Tab-separated table of all heavy atoms in Angstrom:
chain	number	residue	atom	x	y	z
V	252	MET	N	24.442	86.031	144.848
V	252	MET	CA	25.196	84.860	144.433
V	252	MET	C	24.706	83.617	145.170
V	252	MET	O	24.524	82.552	144.572
V	252	MET	CB	26.680	85.106	144.741
V	252	MET	CG	27.594	84.126	144.081
V	252	MET	SD	27.457	84.272	142.303
V	252	MET	CE	27.687	82.571	141.837
V	253	TYR	N	24.484	83.779	146.450
V	253	TYR	CA	24.058	82.625	147.253
V	253	TYR	C	22.699	82.122	146.777
V	253	TYR	O	22.481	80.919	146.628
V	253	TYR	CB	24.013	83.025	148.725
V	253	TYR	CG	23.673	81.900	149.655
V	253	TYR	CD1	24.549	80.828	149.816
V	253	TYR	CD2	22.478	81.888	150.367
V	253	TYR	CE1	24.238	79.784	150.668
V	253	TYR	CE2	22.159	80.849	151.218
V	253	TYR	CZ	23.045	79.794	151.368
V	253	TYR	OH	22.740	78.765	152.205
V	254	LEU	N	21.793	83.042	146.526
V	254	LEU	CA	20.466	82.637	146.067
V	254	LEU	C	20.552	81.931	144.718
V	254	LEU	O	19.857	80.943	144.486
V	254	LEU	CB	19.544	83.858	145.967
V	254	LEU	CG	19.170	84.484	147.306
V	254	LEU	CD1	18.088	85.517	147.109
V	254	LEU	CD2	18.698	83.408	148.272
V	255	VAL	N	21.411	82.442	143.858
V	255	VAL	CA	21.567	81.802	142.550
V	255	VAL	C	22.058	80.368	142.734
V	255	VAL	O	21.521	79.426	142.142
V	255	VAL	CB	22.546	82.619	141.674
V	255	VAL	CG1	22.954	81.815	140.443
V	255	VAL	CG2	21.915	83.930	141.263
V	256	LEU	N	23.051	80.213	143.595
V	256	LEU	CA	23.597	78.876	143.836
V	256	LEU	C	22.522	77.946	144.384
V	256	LEU	O	22.396	76.793	143.954
V	256	LEU	CB	24.776	78.955	144.815
V	256	LEU	CG	26.065	79.512	144.251
V	256	LEU	CD1	27.089	79.708	145.359
V	256	LEU	CD2	26.613	78.579	143.189
V	257	VAL	N	21.754	78.463	145.333
V	257	VAL	CA	20.720	77.621	145.946
V	257	VAL	C	19.680	77.243	144.906
V	257	VAL	O	19.239	76.096	144.816
V	257	VAL	CB	20.072	78.359	147.132
V	257	VAL	CG1	18.824	77.636	147.582
V	257	VAL	CG2	21.062	78.467	148.274
V	258	LYS	N	19.305	78.207	144.094
V	258	LYS	CA	18.283	77.938	143.073
V	258	LYS	C	18.753	76.866	142.096
V	258	LYS	O	17.976	76.014	141.683
V	258	LYS	CB	17.977	79.235	142.308
V	258	LYS	CG	16.708	79.949	142.777
V	258	LYS	CD	15.497	79.255	142.238
V	258	LYS	CE	14.181	79.559	142.842
V	258	LYS	NZ	13.466	78.882	143.766
V	259	ILE	N	20.013	76.953	141.737
V	259	ILE	CA	20.503	76.010	140.726
V	259	ILE	C	20.805	74.644	141.329
V	259	ILE	O	20.350	73.619	140.836
V	259	ILE	CB	21.773	76.557	140.039
V	259	ILE	CG1	21.430	77.839	139.299
V	259	ILE	CG2	22.332	75.526	139.055
V	259	ILE	CD1	22.628	78.519	138.692
V	260	PHE	N	21.568	74.633	142.413
V	260	PHE	CA	22.067	73.357	142.923
V	260	PHE	C	21.317	72.842	144.138
V	260	PHE	O	21.520	71.708	144.537
V	260	PHE	CB	23.556	73.474	143.267
V	260	PHE	CG	24.399	73.870	142.101
V	260	PHE	CD1	25.005	75.103	142.062
V	260	PHE	CD2	24.564	73.009	141.027
V	260	PHE	CE1	25.787	75.469	140.982
V	260	PHE	CE2	25.341	73.358	139.948
V	260	PHE	CZ	25.950	74.598	139.917
V	261	GLY	N	20.530	73.670	144.755
V	261	GLY	CA	19.802	73.206	145.923
V	261	GLY	C	20.657	73.198	147.168
V	261	GLY	O	21.872	73.369	147.114
V	262	LEU	N	19.980	73.022	148.299
V	262	LEU	CA	20.702	73.074	149.562
V	262	LEU	C	21.332	71.735	149.928
V	262	LEU	O	22.178	71.655	150.798
V	262	LEU	CB	19.757	73.493	150.686
V	262	LEU	CG	19.520	74.986	150.822
V	262	LEU	CD1	18.388	75.237	151.788
V	262	LEU	CD2	20.772	75.681	151.315
V	263	GLY	N	20.831	70.690	149.304
V	263	GLY	CA	21.407	69.385	149.580
V	263	GLY	C	20.990	68.811	150.912
V	263	GLY	O	21.679	67.981	151.482
V	264	ILE	N	19.900	69.239	151.440
V	264	ILE	CA	19.489	68.683	152.728
V	264	ILE	C	18.215	67.881	152.595
V	264	ILE	O	17.720	67.336	153.557
V	264	ILE	CB	19.289	69.773	153.785
V	264	ILE	CG1	18.360	70.842	153.257
V	264	ILE	CG2	20.598	70.334	154.245
V	264	ILE	CD1	17.829	71.735	154.335
V	265	SER	N	17.653	67.843	151.411
V	265	SER	CA	16.399	67.122	151.303
V	265	SER	C	16.236	66.633	149.872
V	265	SER	O	16.781	67.188	148.936
V	265	SER	CB	15.244	68.044	151.684
V	265	SER	OG	14.060	67.566	151.092
V	266	ASP	N	15.486	65.593	149.739
V	266	ASP	CA	15.255	65.068	148.407
V	266	ASP	C	14.108	65.777	147.714
V	266	ASP	O	13.864	65.592	146.530
V	266	ASP	CB	14.953	63.568	148.480
V	266	ASP	CG	16.171	62.818	148.995
V	266	ASP	OD1	17.284	63.342	148.795
V	266	ASP	OD2	15.994	61.757	149.606
V	267	LEU	N	13.375	66.566	148.472
V	267	LEU	CA	12.240	67.271	147.883
V	267	LEU	C	12.751	68.492	147.127
V	267	LEU	O	13.271	69.416	147.742
V	267	LEU	CB	11.287	67.741	148.981
V	267	LEU	CG	10.258	66.738	149.477
V	267	LEU	CD1	9.513	67.332	150.639
V	267	LEU	CD2	9.317	66.355	148.353
V	268	PRO	N	12.643	68.534	145.819
V	268	PRO	CA	13.193	69.678	145.077
V	268	PRO	C	12.567	71.009	145.495
V	268	PRO	O	13.260	72.016	145.563
V	268	PRO	CB	12.908	69.338	143.624
V	268	PRO	CG	12.115	68.094	143.603
V	268	PRO	CD	12.066	67.514	144.957
V	269	THR	N	11.292	71.032	145.793
V	269	THR	CA	10.674	72.307	146.144
V	269	THR	C	11.262	72.881	147.417
V	269	THR	O	11.377	74.084	147.585
V	269	THR	CB	9.160	72.144	146.342
V	269	THR	OG1	8.963	71.012	147.164
V	269	THR	CG2	8.446	72.006	145.026
V	270	VAL	N	11.623	72.013	148.338
V	270	VAL	CA	12.196	72.490	149.592
V	270	VAL	C	13.658	72.844	149.393
V	270	VAL	O	14.152	73.854	149.873
V	270	VAL	CB	12.082	71.404	150.673
V	270	VAL	CG1	12.714	71.888	151.955
V	270	VAL	CG2	10.647	71.022	150.857
V	271	ASP	N	14.290	71.990	148.622
V	271	ASP	CA	15.715	72.108	148.478
V	271	ASP	C	16.122	73.460	147.892
V	271	ASP	O	17.123	74.039	148.281
V	271	ASP	CB	16.195	70.980	147.552
V	271	ASP	CG	17.632	70.653	147.824
V	271	ASP	OD1	18.060	70.880	148.970
V	271	ASP	OD2	18.311	70.191	146.903
V	272	THR	N	15.343	73.958	146.950
V	272	THR	CA	15.720	75.209	146.322
V	272	THR	C	14.890	76.376	146.847
V	272	THR	O	14.799	77.416	146.221
V	272	THR	CB	15.542	75.123	144.806
V	272	THR	OG1	14.190	74.773	144.544
V	272	THR	CG2	16.474	74.099	144.202
V	273	ASN	N	14.289	76.188	147.997
V	273	ASN	CA	13.431	77.237	148.536
V	273	ASN	C	14.281	78.399	149.073
V	273	ASN	O	15.150	78.222	149.922
V	273	ASN	CB	12.582	76.655	149.661
V	273	ASN	CG	11.539	77.646	150.119
V	273	ASN	OD1	11.858	78.767	150.452
V	273	ASN	ND2	10.298	77.229	150.116
V	274	ILE	N	13.998	79.570	148.558
V	274	ILE	CA	14.824	80.722	148.897
V	274	ILE	C	14.680	81.107	150.360
V	274	ILE	O	15.664	81.324	151.072
V	274	ILE	CB	14.476	81.893	147.975
V	274	ILE	CG1	15.053	81.597	146.591
V	274	ILE	CG2	15.038	83.189	148.515
V	274	ILE	CD1	14.714	82.616	145.567
V	275	LEU	N	13.452	81.162	150.819
V	275	LEU	CA	13.242	81.569	152.217
V	275	LEU	C	13.949	80.622	153.166
V	275	LEU	O	14.567	81.037	154.141
V	275	LEU	CB	11.744	81.602	152.525
V	275	LEU	CG	11.041	82.914	152.211
V	275	LEU	CD1	9.555	82.795	152.527
V	275	LEU	CD2	11.649	84.049	153.019
V	276	THR	N	13.870	79.347	152.848
V	276	THR	CA	14.538	78.371	153.700
V	276	THR	C	16.032	78.636	153.763
V	276	THR	O	16.635	78.686	154.825
V	276	THR	CB	14.343	76.953	153.147
V	276	THR	OG1	12.977	76.806	152.792
V	276	THR	CG2	14.755	75.934	154.146
V	277	SER	N	16.598	78.847	152.581
V	277	SER	CA	18.043	79.010	152.545
V	277	SER	C	18.476	80.241	153.326
V	277	SER	O	19.541	80.269	153.909
V	277	SER	CB	18.510	79.104	151.096
V	277	SER	OG	17.974	80.267	150.511
V	278	LEU	N	17.634	81.258	153.317
V	278	LEU	CA	18.022	82.487	154.013
V	278	LEU	C	17.935	82.346	155.520
V	278	LEU	O	18.663	83.008	156.249
V	278	LEU	CB	17.120	83.642	153.575
V	278	LEU	CG	17.304	84.107	152.141
V	278	LEU	CD1	16.476	85.342	151.891
V	278	LEU	CD2	18.772	84.396	151.871
V	279	THR	N	17.030	81.515	155.966
V	279	THR	CA	16.835	81.451	157.407
V	279	THR	C	17.774	80.467	158.069
V	279	THR	O	17.760	80.324	159.270
V	279	THR	CB	15.383	81.049	157.716
V	279	THR	OG1	15.056	79.926	156.916
V	279	THR	CG2	14.434	82.179	157.443
V	280	MET	N	18.590	79.833	157.274
V	280	MET	CA	19.392	78.765	157.859
V	280	MET	C	20.849	79.118	158.080
V	280	MET	O	21.417	79.931	157.372
V	280	MET	CB	19.339	77.545	156.956
V	280	MET	CG	18.073	76.755	157.164
V	280	MET	SD	18.092	75.354	156.108
V	280	MET	CE	19.785	74.856	156.228
V	281	GLY	N	21.434	78.441	159.038
V	281	GLY	CA	22.889	78.428	159.193
V	281	GLY	C	23.515	79.781	159.424
V	281	GLY	O	24.646	80.016	159.062
V	282	GLY	N	22.791	80.691	160.007
V	282	GLY	CA	23.388	81.994	160.295
V	282	GLY	C	23.746	82.775	159.044
V	282	GLY	O	24.652	83.600	159.048
V	283	PHE	N	23.004	82.536	157.968
V	283	PHE	CA	23.347	83.193	156.714
V	283	PHE	C	23.270	84.715	156.834
V	283	PHE	O	24.170	85.430	156.394
V	283	PHE	CB	22.422	82.708	155.594
V	283	PHE	CG	22.641	83.427	154.305
V	283	PHE	CD1	23.763	83.167	153.540
V	283	PHE	CD2	21.751	84.399	153.877
V	283	PHE	CE1	23.997	83.849	152.367
V	283	PHE	CE2	21.977	85.083	152.699
V	283	PHE	CZ	23.102	84.808	151.941
V	284	LEU	N	22.209	85.207	157.439
V	284	LEU	CA	22.049	86.664	157.494
V	284	LEU	C	23.091	87.302	158.402
V	284	LEU	O	23.634	88.363	158.104
V	284	LEU	CB	20.641	87.034	157.959
V	284	LEU	CG	19.568	86.725	156.920
V	284	LEU	CD1	18.201	87.091	157.456
V	284	LEU	CD2	19.832	87.468	155.630
V	285	LEU	N	23.373	86.640	159.500
V	285	LEU	CA	24.406	87.142	160.401
V	285	LEU	C	25.737	87.216	159.654
V	285	LEU	O	26.468	88.208	159.740
V	285	LEU	CB	24.519	86.204	161.610
V	285	LEU	CG	25.245	86.757	162.826
V	285	LEU	CD1	24.509	87.956	163.380
V	285	LEU	CD2	25.368	85.687	163.893
V	286	CYS	N	25.997	86.206	158.885
V	286	CYS	CA	27.233	86.168	158.104
V	286	CYS	C	27.244	87.293	157.078
V	286	CYS	O	28.220	88.014	156.928
V	286	CYS	CB	27.351	84.816	157.417
V	286	CYS	SG	28.679	84.745	156.218
V	287	THR	N	26.119	87.459	156.401
V	287	THR	CA	26.060	88.445	155.323
V	287	THR	C	26.261	89.859	155.836
V	287	THR	O	27.039	90.622	155.277
V	287	THR	CB	24.704	88.350	154.616
V	287	THR	OG1	24.480	87.003	154.274
V	287	THR	CG2	24.674	89.204	153.377
V	288	PHE	N	25.549	90.216	156.890
V	288	PHE	CA	25.546	91.618	157.292
V	288	PHE	C	26.534	91.950	158.394
V	288	PHE	O	26.917	93.090	158.566
V	288	PHE	CB	24.137	92.050	157.706
V	288	PHE	CG	23.206	92.086	156.546
V	288	PHE	CD1	22.310	91.058	156.311
V	288	PHE	CD2	23.251	93.141	155.650
V	288	PHE	CE1	21.468	91.085	155.219
V	288	PHE	CE2	22.415	93.176	154.560
V	288	PHE	CZ	21.524	92.144	154.338
V	289	TYR	N	26.919	90.979	159.186
V	289	TYR	CA	27.806	91.311	160.304
V	289	TYR	C	29.200	90.707	160.163
V	289	TYR	O	30.166	91.282	160.592
V	289	TYR	CB	27.179	90.884	161.628
V	289	TYR	CG	26.000	91.745	162.012
V	289	TYR	CD1	24.714	91.421	161.614
V	289	TYR	CD2	26.186	92.912	162.751
V	289	TYR	CE1	23.638	92.217	161.952
V	289	TYR	CE2	25.120	93.716	163.087
V	289	TYR	CZ	23.848	93.359	162.694
V	289	TYR	OH	22.793	94.155	163.023
V	290	TYR	N	29.293	89.497	159.584
V	290	TYR	CA	30.609	88.880	159.469
V	290	TYR	C	31.359	89.422	158.257
V	290	TYR	O	32.500	89.852	158.351
V	290	TYR	CB	30.496	87.361	159.316
V	290	TYR	CG	29.957	86.612	160.500
V	290	TYR	CD1	29.770	85.231	160.446
V	290	TYR	CD2	29.646	87.273	161.680
V	290	TYR	CE1	29.273	84.528	161.522
V	290	TYR	CE2	29.141	86.571	162.760
V	290	TYR	CZ	28.948	85.195	162.675
V	290	TYR	OH	28.466	84.500	163.729
Side-chain angles (χ1 to χ4, degrees):
Chain V
M252 193 63 214
Y253 184 66
L254 291 190
V255 168
L256 286 172
V257 168
K258 260 283 164 261
I259 297 175
F260 301 111
L262 278 170
I264 52 165
S265 157
D266 295 334
L267 275 174
T269 47
V270 178
D271 205 27
T272 57
N273 188 307
I274 287 176
L275 272 178
T276 315
S277 64
L278 291 186
T279 48
M280 280 181 40
F283 175 74
L284 290 179
L285 197 63
C286 170
T287 309
F288 292 101
Y289 289 90
Y290 294 178

